[in-house]
Amino acid sequence: MGKHSRRKPSYLPKVAAGAAPLALLLAGPATSLAAQTDPPTPLPLDHKREGTLDRGIGVTSEGDTSVLRGFLNIAERNVYSKDLGGSKVFADVRRSASETVETRDGVTVRGDKVGALAASKTTEVVTQGQRNTVKLAPYGSAVAGNETKLERSGARLTEAVLDPRTGTPALITEDGRGIGASEGTYQAFRPLPGFGVINETDQRAVGELHRALRLDGGFSGDLGGLLEAGRSSGHALDLGNFAAIGTTSAQHGGGRFKGVLPLAVSSGTGFGQKHVLGGTVGPATGLVTTEQDASLARHGSALTGSGANTSSGDLGVGDVASAHGTTATSSRGVLPTGDPAQAGHLRQSGTLDLTVLGQRKHTGVIAGALPLELKRS
């Protein structure tokens, strides 16, 4: 006991001295362990999010009819960005959805009409788009984006009517549906301020179907449909103060049919396209446009067709001189027919306008066949 009591207060056994660092590491402050195992890590991108919700509903009265209207709009936007020294990156993502509803209900009691009406209309639209941007200071930028849109619509009507004067009842029903879709893209690359390349595209398609029936002592009705599709594109090259060139093109086509019970049936189809090329080189400017359309329709046993082709051009050099010319060809016809003038008709026209130092000169001619015609325009 006395031997141990003579130890100095600063004495530490060798075993304890060797174990002290490990014990301190394992039993260190909790804050030190947290700092080593869970360090604050910044997000790779800055994120901003916003959204909106808008809705409403109301009831009004229009004569004998009660009308209920309602809508719902939802939108969301997310923006991601990052500053990488001299470069910046952005991504803008947008989504939205909307719906509108309208219903009509009413009962009519008059001396000439007793009836009940129920009708509804709905429209739904959903869109989504994204736009990505990269900026390389002090140079240029690159942008790429796209947007998709879907639409759906519907309408329905049912009406029962009785004429008290004659005692004749009537029942009318109508139903219609529609759907559409479109998609667009956008790209732009500008390596230097004032210089760049731009491209845009757009595709779309629409379809509709409707029917109607009527019972009023007899039977009548119709069934019809429509299908259309189209596309367009644009391209541009910008060379600053030296030159700029752009071109666009668009095509569309569609078909339709309609049957009126019990016998009449009609159908048709059509196609069209348009192309434009223009630009500037120094003081000179030019623009060329071409457009073609064609359609074919059938009603019963009669077949009707038409077509047209139009071209125009403009060329100018500052205020010194300019020229504008057009040419157009059109044709139409109906078969079968006993009238030669209706069986087919062709027409050709052209004009040219020249302006030199403020002096303008115009020439033009129109030529046709079946019947034959020739005159100045």
Side-chain angles (χ1 to χ4, degrees):
M1 180 179 177
K3 188 175 182 180
H4 290 286
S5 64
R6 288 195 299 270
R7 292 178 179 175
K8 295 181 180 180
S10 61
Y11 176 78
L12 188 64
K14 291 183 179 181
V15 175
L22 181 59
L24 291 175
L25 179 62
L26 296 178
T31 55
S32 299
L33 290 174
Q36 294 178 14
T37 60
D38 190 18
T41 303
L43 292 174
L45 293 174
D46 297 326
H47 179 209
K48 294 182 180 180
R49 180 179 180 275
E50 61 182 20
T52 60
L53 173 62
D54 190 12
R55 56 190 176 184
I57 189 170
V59 179
T60 60
S61 179
E62 298 180 2
D64 299 329
T65 306
S66 297
V67 182
L68 183 146
R69 295 184 177 93
F71 69 91
L72 174 65
N73 297 323
I74 302 174
E76 181 187 23
R77 182 184 181 189
N78 291 273
V79 179
Y80 303 89
S81 62
K82 189 65 177 179
D83 192 344
L84 304 174
S87 303
K88 294 183 179 181
V89 179
F90 299 90
D92 191 346
V93 182
R94 300 170 183 257
R95 302 182 182 92
S96 65
S98 64
E99 182 177 5
T100 60
V101 178
E102 178 181 305
T103 63
R104 293 174 176 267
D105 299 282
V107 176
T108 302
V109 179
R110 298 198 308 257
D112 59 342
K113 179 181 179 181
V114 176
L117 170 71
S120 65
K121 292 181 180 180
T122 60
T123 303
E124 300 174 355
V125 180
V126 177
T127 61
Q128 176 173 316
Q130 181 171 341
R131 195 176 186 90
N132 304 317
T133 306
V134 178
K135 295 184 178 181
L136 305 175
Y139 303 102
S141 62
V143 180
N146 63 82
E147 182 177 275
T148 303
K149 184 177 182 180
L150 300 175
E151 299 180 75
R152 187 176 69 173
S153 62
R156 178 173 295 179
L157 180 145
T158 302
E159 185 178 13
V161 179
L162 174 65
D163 190 342
R165 298 168 299 182
T166 61
T168 303
L171 177 64
I172 303 170
T173 65
E174 296 180 3
D175 191 5
R177 294 289 184 267
I179 187 171
S182 64
E183 182 180 19
T185 63
Y186 174 85
Q187 299 91 28
F189 176 62
R190 294 189 176 275
L192 294 173
F195 293 79
V197 178
I198 300 174
N199 298 294
E200 292 187 30
T201 63
D202 180 74
Q203 299 87 29
R204 60 197 178 278
V206 177
E208 296 180 0
L209 182 65
H210 68 270
R211 67 171 181 84
L213 299 175
R214 182 182 181 93
L215 300 173
D216 52 359
F219 172 77
S220 63
D222 66 74
L223 176 68
L226 171 69
L227 180 63
E228 292 182 343
R231 65 168 299 275
S232 62
S233 63
H235 312 278
L237 175 63
D238 189 358
L239 299 178
N241 296 326
F242 300 100
I245 300 174
T247 177
T248 64
S249 64
Q251 296 84 30
H252 69 272
R256 66 185 185 277
F257 73 92
K258 183 177 181 180
V260 180
L261 299 176
L263 294 177
V265 176
S266 64
S267 61
T269 183
F271 172 80
Q273 64 177 359
K274 184 178 182 179
H275 303 277
V276 179
L277 173 64
T280 62
V281 179
T285 62
L287 180 68
V288 177
T289 302
T290 64
E291 185 173 0
Q292 296 84 33
D293 289 285
S295 65
L296 187 65
R298 180 178 181 180
H299 184 75
S301 60
L303 189 64
T304 304
S306 64
N309 178 63
T310 304
S311 300
S312 65
D314 292 90
L315 180 64
V317 181
D319 297 329
V320 179
S322 65
H324 172 74
T326 63
T327 177
T329 303
S330 63
S331 61
R332 59 178 175 81
V334 179
L335 292 175
T337 179
D339 186 357
Q342 294 293 328
H345 183 270
L346 179 66
R347 180 174 179 174
Q348 175 74 40
S349 63
T351 62
L352 178 62
D353 293 282
L354 295 175
T355 303
V356 179
L357 298 177
Q359 301 296 321
R360 182 174 179 271
K361 184 178 181 180
H362 170 79
T363 58
V365 64
I366 297 176
L370 294 177
L372 179 65
E373 61 176 334
L374 179 64
K375 62 181 179 179
R376 292 183 178 275
S377 64

